[in-house]
Amino acid sequence: MIYFNYLETRCKTKIKLMTASKNYFENHIDKIKESSDDIVTQFELDMLLGNSISRCLNEKRSKCKTEHVSFRELDFYFKMVAMPIVSSETLEISGYEVLGRAFESNGEIIEITKAISIMLDNGVISNYTLSLLKKLIQFILEQNLDNIRFSINIENQSLDEEDFATRVELLLKTLNYNPVGITLEVTERQRVRSIIKKRNLQRLFELGFSISLDDFGDMHATFEELTLYPYSQVKLDTKCVERCMHNENYRYYVQWVLAICQYNKLSIVAEGISDLTKLTWTRRNLCVTHLQGFYIGKPCSLNGLCSEKVP
């Protein structure tokens, strides 16, 4: 489980999250290596968030009041689950998308989109992403799964942070891991095309990650987006696949885009394969390389790689 704490500030003055310097990380690498708990420790919160507010979690409330901050502490915990991705040609499993299932402290499920929205609003989505990435890498190393490809999502808000790629790089150095088997899926919830984002994506690509454009055909995940960044994969959104099935003109446009992707050697994943009809139609009519959806396999426990179903 990944435990995640965030603070909801209720003050008129916005408190910026101050990112720890590179020297801070390097000076504490030994401590990071010693941390093997299944939770994000207070030190990791400081390391990942890099701000004085997080340190209030285990200190007296009066100390926070001196900063003129009133807040309530909320506890999330996340279980990592894996959703299989299969080859369109052979239907054999080729990898897994790793997701977080959010729960309140009393065990009640929180809709993941709601949890992500809260983290985005509070500016701490990068903490969640780095925690998930750390646990995934540790799992790969412990289980010796270098031959299996995994993917996780990253949000535009993280990519628009000056030091996001640097923090990822330091995490890789700490764990002594080469991420050639991990794909980062970029979720385009809003149109953000900053120079910072471009630098971060380029650096992540140079570190060895594959970069995927998630939810293509929905919101801002468009053909234009594909031309701007070093993507090596595109994932067709569920709505995109459904429109292709019922709108011939739309299908011709998507087929044209996919042909260009194929020419440029991008892998193509069709999401939302929920039944046999959609599976059969997609394989026959769209030049996709991989398939994903509840009919292919539902999210399941990461331990044992889908031997245990998670409701």
Side-chain angles (χ1 to χ4, degrees):
M1 296 181 183
I2 297 175
Y3 286 81
F4 176 76
N5 297 290
Y6 77 91
L7 306 177
E8 180 181 66
T9 60
R10 295 175 178 175
C11 56
K12 294 181 180 179
T13 303
K14 183 178 180 181
I15 297 179
K16 295 181 179 180
L17 301 179
M18 303 295 292
T19 304
S21 66
K22 184 176 180 180
N23 289 336
Y24 179 85
F25 286 93
E26 292 177 342
N27 292 336
H28 291 77
I29 280 181
D30 290 337
K31 290 184 180 180
I32 302 171
K33 289 180 178 179
E34 292 172 2
S35 176
S36 59
D37 296 336
D38 287 334
I39 66 172
V40 177
T41 64
Q42 181 62 39
F43 174 80
E44 289 176 303
L45 281 174
D46 287 343
M47 179 190 76
L48 298 174
L49 281 174
N51 68 91
S52 61
I53 298 177
S54 70
R55 297 185 181 93
C56 292
L57 287 170
N58 293 327
E59 295 179 4
K60 294 181 179 180
R61 295 297 184 264
S62 59
K63 194 166 186 177
C64 292
K65 290 179 181 178
T66 62
E67 298 182 29
H68 306 290
V69 181
S70 60
F71 64 90
R72 61 188 176 92
E73 181 181 332
L74 300 177
D75 293 320
F76 284 174
Y77 69 88
F78 291 87
K79 290 183 179 180
M80 288 197 300
V81 295
M83 196 166 187
I85 300 172
V86 302
S87 164
S88 177
E89 182 178 355
T90 66
L91 296 183
E92 294 180 351
I93 293 177
S94 59
Y96 296 87
E97 179 179 357
V98 175
L99 308 164
R101 283 283 179 86
F103 298 84
E104 293 184 6
S105 55
N106 61 6
E108 292 186 11
I109 297 176
I110 304 173
E111 186 180 350
I112 189 61
T113 53
K114 179 181 178 181
I116 289 176
S117 178
I118 292 173
M119 290 186 286
L120 285 169
D121 290 342
N122 285 271
V124 292
I125 190 68
S126 295
N127 179 59
Y128 164 73
T129 302
L130 289 169
S131 298
L132 197 67
L133 180 60
K134 176 187 174 183
K135 296 304 174 185
L136 172 59
I137 293 174
Q138 288 176 329
F139 176 77
I140 293 172
L141 293 173
E142 290 169 0
Q143 302 297 323
N144 193 24
L145 298 176
D146 289 331
N147 60 326
I148 298 178
R149 176 162 290 280
F150 293 91
S151 63
I152 66 170
N153 291 92
I154 53 175
E155 298 284 341
N156 259 319
Q157 189 178 97
S158 296
L159 292 172
D160 212 34
E161 295 174 2
E162 281 276 5
D163 62 346
F164 180 73
T166 300
R167 293 161 72 187
V168 173
E169 183 176 5
L170 290 169
L171 178 62
L172 296 176
K173 289 180 178 179
T174 300
L175 299 175
N176 191 27
Y177 182 75
N178 184 348
V180 291
I182 297 179
T183 298
L184 302 178
E185 299 183 9
V186 179
T187 304
E188 296 291 349
R189 299 183 190 276
Q190 55 186 357
R191 189 179 294 275
V192 179
R193 292 175 178 169
S194 67
I195 296 176
I196 297 173
K197 174 183 175 181
K198 188 171 185 176
R199 283 203 300 259
N200 273 323
L201 281 176
Q202 185 60 42
R203 183 57 188 146
L204 291 170
F205 177 76
E206 292 169 355
L207 289 172
F209 291 101
S210 295
I211 311 296
S212 173
L213 178 59
D214 196 15
D215 298 330
F216 183 82
D218 188 36
M219 296 185 286
H220 299 292
T222 62
F223 176 71
E224 183 182 2
E225 188 73 17
L226 272 175
T227 67
L228 297 175
Y229 304 107
Y231 293 112
S232 56
Q233 182 187 84
V234 58
K235 298 190 75 173
L236 299 183
D237 183 70
T238 301
K239 295 177 183 177
C240 179
V241 175
E242 291 175 349
R243 290 192 193 108
C244 286
M245 293 179 69
H246 300 102
N247 186 321
E248 189 175 44
N249 289 332
Y250 184 86
R251 180 169 76 249
Y252 288 152
Y253 167 76
V254 172
Q255 287 174 328
W256 171 73
V257 173
L258 296 185
I260 295 176
C261 292
Q262 196 174 43
Y263 177 80
N264 287 286
K265 296 181 171 53
L266 273 68
S267 62
I268 305 162
V269 183
E271 297 183 290
I273 305 301
S274 55
D275 53 48
L276 180 58
T277 299
K278 191 175 289 187
L279 171 67
T280 303
W281 187 93
T282 302
R283 295 180 75 193
R284 288 178 178 174
N285 295 279
L286 298 177
C287 54
V288 300
T289 57
H290 298 84
L291 302 161
Q292 181 180 354
F294 278 20
Y295 186 76
I296 301 296
K298 295 181 180 179
C300 55
S301 170
L302 197 59
N303 294 323
L305 288 181
C306 296
S307 62
E308 175 188 355
K309 299 298 180 183
V310 176

